[in-house]
Amino acid sequence: MYRKRLRMPIIFILVLIMLFSMNTVVLAANMPDPGKVCSITVNMKETGTNNIVSGGDLSIYRVGKVYVENGFKYVYTDKFLSFNYTIDDIISGNHILELNSYIRNNNIQGNNKEIDANGKVVFSGLETGLYLLVQTKNAPGYN
């Protein structure tokens, strides 16, 4: 059986959750609600074919929290305070591989979930913040 490979053995998805009511568009007039509880839904599909990819695991890590004072900004959560790069570097998408290494080297535990038969994972009960999703186990047939 021919086994297809994911283009990236570990999928890093930087999720900027600036959750405003049900709006994910960042507008200067909107202020995030630091106390809001929300969810993230991930649908796994194969690049190029859009075939559903089921199985495997994703872990989510809350890297930043919202700090509100004269506007808002993201600051690291306690587990990430000693990470060597600024949170702005993370928001811009730089140093994601280093962030994943930091997680592994410091044994930081994320919320791990299996990708269901429909290629879907839902992470619920999340506080407003900056999150990193990491594929921690490949789906069967994907190396």
Side-chain angles (χ1 to χ4, degrees):
M1 174 166 96
Y2 176 72
R3 292 181 179 246
K4 297 180 182 179
R5 293 184 61 201
L6 288 177
R7 294 192 188 253
M8 295 175 21
I10 297 177
I11 296 176
F12 295 102
I13 306 168
L14 181 63
V15 181
L16 299 177
I17 302 180
M18 296 175 228
L19 301 170
F20 316 100
S21 302
M22 295 302 282
N23 187 359
T24 57
V25 177
V26 179
L27 301 173
N30 289 341
M31 292 292 289
D33 179 355
K36 186 166 180 74
V37 176
C38 300
S39 65
I40 295 174
T41 301
V42 178
N43 293 295
M44 298 291 288
K45 294 186 178 181
E46 187 176 280
T47 303
T49 67
N50 268 346
N51 292 334
I52 292 172
V53 178
S54 60
D57 294 336
L58 291 178
S59 286
I60 190 166
Y61 303 87
R62 187 170 187 234
V63 177
K65 57 188 174 185
V66 176
Y67 178 77
V68 179
E69 185 176 301
N70 298 326
F72 79 94
K73 65 179 180 178
Y74 288 100
V75 296
Y76 282 123
T77 58
D78 291 344
K79 294 178 182 177
F80 294 91
L81 286 174
S82 59
F83 184 59
N84 291 330
Y85 298 96
T86 69
I87 201 149
D88 289 334
D89 288 331
I90 302 304
I91 291 170
S92 67
N94 297 321
H95 308 292
I96 301 302
L97 294 175
E98 292 90 341
L99 183 60
N100 187 55
S101 293
Y102 178 87
I103 288 168
R104 282 183 286 137
N105 294 339
N106 290 281
N107 297 314
I108 297 173
Q109 299 300 308
N111 180 0
N112 192 60
K113 293 203 174 187
E114 185 175 350
I115 302 163
D116 72 15
N118 297 313
K120 186 176 181 178
V121 178
V122 177
F123 295 97
S124 56
L126 303 174
E127 297 175 59
T128 303
L130 178 69
Y131 288 82
L132 177 71
L133 285 169
V134 179
Q135 184 172 4
T136 53
K137 180 181 173 188
N138 289 337
Y142 292 85
N143 299 324

